[in-house]
Amino acid sequence: MESIIRAWRTAHAEENGKLLASTISLTNTDLEEFAYSTNSARVAEDIFRSLEYENNSARPKITNKTGLEAWAEVYVAYWKVAQALERHDDVEWGQVFVNMKDLTQAVIRGFQNGLWEVWQLEILYTACKYLRYVAIRTDEAKRANGEDTWKSLEDAARIINRAFNVCLNDRAELAQSRKWGTYYIINLLFKTYFKLNAITLSKNILKALVANTTEMPDLLDFRTSDVVTFKYYCGVIAFLDEDYVKAEEHLDTAYQLCHKDAQKNKELILTYLIPTKLLTRRQLPSATLLKPYPLLESLFLPLAKCIKSGDLRGYDENLARGEDWFVKKRIFLTLERGRDITLRNLFRKVYLAAGDSKTRIPVDHFKAAVSWKSGVELETEEVECYLANMIYKGYIKGYISREKGMVVLSGSNAFPGTGV
Amino acid sequence: MSSKSKPEETTTPKPIKKVLDEDDEFEDFPAEEWEEAESEVPGTTKPNLWEESWDDDDLSEDFSKQLKEELKKNDSQKSGLEAQR
């Protein structure tokens, strides 16, 4: 017990948030020793005495008795967590979770009652992080026994949401405000809500944030790790809302600021940025961009090649090949809209193949191009429908002359967006 | 978390990593803060890693060549049909 409580004291003397947080971490190497250092009959008294003893040599002292009691609550709860984790061969995750909730709530209360300062926020992060972790393990254990449940994680989400409010609604002056903890906690909530498939709840968080935006420090003044994670989730939320302009803005920032060695995170950002840019700018990832990500490269590069060359058949094949993954990532429907661009590029190739900037091209040519390699001969009406659709969407400038079986293209800029 | 490094005889640290990493969740960064130089796109000059999707004028590539052949075939078939009539 001494080592943990001594670390608590040192952390206060140094105002060292990381060290303080480590005293309630589940990966603390003294966890086992702590679990065996006392028993349930004596734990409250032992911990309080130990805190008092260390506090006597602390600078500054926590003279206030309530102050020490708040910490005693935290470490008693932590001891129970440690005990549930260490003293059984088979960990009963349900029990760990109950204790972990007590621990997190004790930490939240400490901040709520205004006892703790900004440098101590790390302990709130650690409590919430492990609460979520234990909740996931608890639900998994239950699901392994055939019970389909996400109840613990939902429970954890509610508690982390309280931590969010404790940060967001702090009225202290900015330098000393818990508002500095807001984005770390929001990111934990986003991760949790995404896992629970409750994206709407993420939007509620963003609404609450907007309502408080005047007193909130600028996002870019927060830690870069918080900023990148936040931007990634905002980007995905906008993406799922089909607000691609906003999604691009968020994801671009996330990608640019992302740590260059955070391979997995960069891959996740690109997973959404690539379909987004296809729609907002009709841009495709280059081979150089995709090179470091074998999975993305194998799925997106062939697709990009087909879109560019107008290979409609190849595009459909490659989309089908990656379908499972695209659907899982919820980007399939967005990528499908790339079909229009492929078709437009194919029609443009037909136009270029006719040469001499001819403006009258037989519908049959377009029909042959679309039917080509597909093994099915399309009806002329079907192709006319494609063409009409392209014209309607502004991909092609011109009209169909049905009696002559010709597409009459605009003399200038027949395929807007390119030089021809 | 703790900066002290003791051999891992306790059982907890190992499984934790596994679960937090699963199902493609956005990962915790190894650092909380980093300099601009360490970010993916430092500075204002952005390398162009994106390509336009519809400026492909290269008609010498295979796909365009094959397409041209196909269209020719289509024309000759048609004129063949008309000649028969």
Side-chain angles (χ1 to χ4, degrees), chain A residues 323-341:
Chain A
E323 183 170 348
D324 287 349
W325 190 79
F326 294 143
V327 167
K328 190 175 150 231
K329 290 289 174 187
R330 304 192 230 198
I331 58 176
F332 183 79
L333 293 176
T334 310
L335 286 174
E336 225 181 15
R337 290 164 67 172
R339 198 173 194 274
D340 269 355
I341 303 173

Side-chain angles (χ1 to χ4, degrees), chain A residues 18 25-27 29-32 86 129 132-133 136-137 140 191 195 223-225 228-229 232-233 255-260 262 264-266 268 277 282-286 289 308-311 328-329 341 344-345 348-349 352-353 364-365 368-369 372-373 395 417-418, chain B residues 1-13 15-20 22-34 36-42 46 48-59 61-64 66-68 70-71 74-75 78:
Chain A
K18 287 262 174 279
S25 163
L26 301 196
T27 55
T29 42
D30 293 322
L31 192 69
E32 190 180 2
E86 294 292 337
K129 179 173 120 183
R132 182 172 171 277
Y133 164 71
I136 291 169
R137 294 297 302 255
E140 272 175 358
K191 287 182 189 180
K195 215 175 176 76
R223 304 183 301 187
T224 317
S225 54
V228 174
T229 311
Y232 166 74
Y233 280 103
Y255 181 73
Q256 281 165 23
L257 295 179
C258 190
H259 195 286
K260 60 180 179 345
K264 181 81 208 171
N265 287 346
K266 286 194 290 178
L268 283 168
K277 278 203 190 284
R282 303 197 177 87
Q283 280 179 342
L284 296 166
S286 65
L289 177 65
K308 264 176 85 169
S309 63
D311 184 353
K328 190 175 150 231
K329 290 289 174 187
I341 303 173
R344 178 257 186 215
N345 289 345
R348 182 167 169 271
K349 283 276 164 78
L352 291 175
D364 275 349
H365 277 200
W372 180 38
K373 282 196 206 166
Y395 286 116
T418 59
Chain B
M1 276 282 148
S2 169
S3 54
K4 283 176 287 177
S5 58
K6 224 162 71 172
E8 293 188 343
E9 64 246 6
T10 48
T11 50
T12 37
I16 278 177
K17 187 83 180 136
K18 189 185 128 252
V19 172
L20 287 183
E22 64 148 33
D23 80 2
D24 293 342
E25 194 161 84
F26 208 72
E27 291 177 356
D28 286 345
F29 287 99
E32 285 154 4
E33 276 294 5
W34 51 90
E36 205 188 319
E38 283 176 292
S39 60
E40 179 66 11
V41 187
K46 292 172 202 163
N48 196 13
L49 297 168
W50 301 88
E51 292 172 349
E52 300 306 321
S53 65
W54 58 12
D55 270 338
D56 192 18
D57 285 336
D58 182 9
L59 293 177
E61 41 99 21
D62 282 351
F63 181 80
S64 292
Q66 289 167 14
L67 177 67
K68 219 166 173 173
E70 182 69 18
L71 295 176
N74 182 266
D75 279 344
K78 218 168 28 180

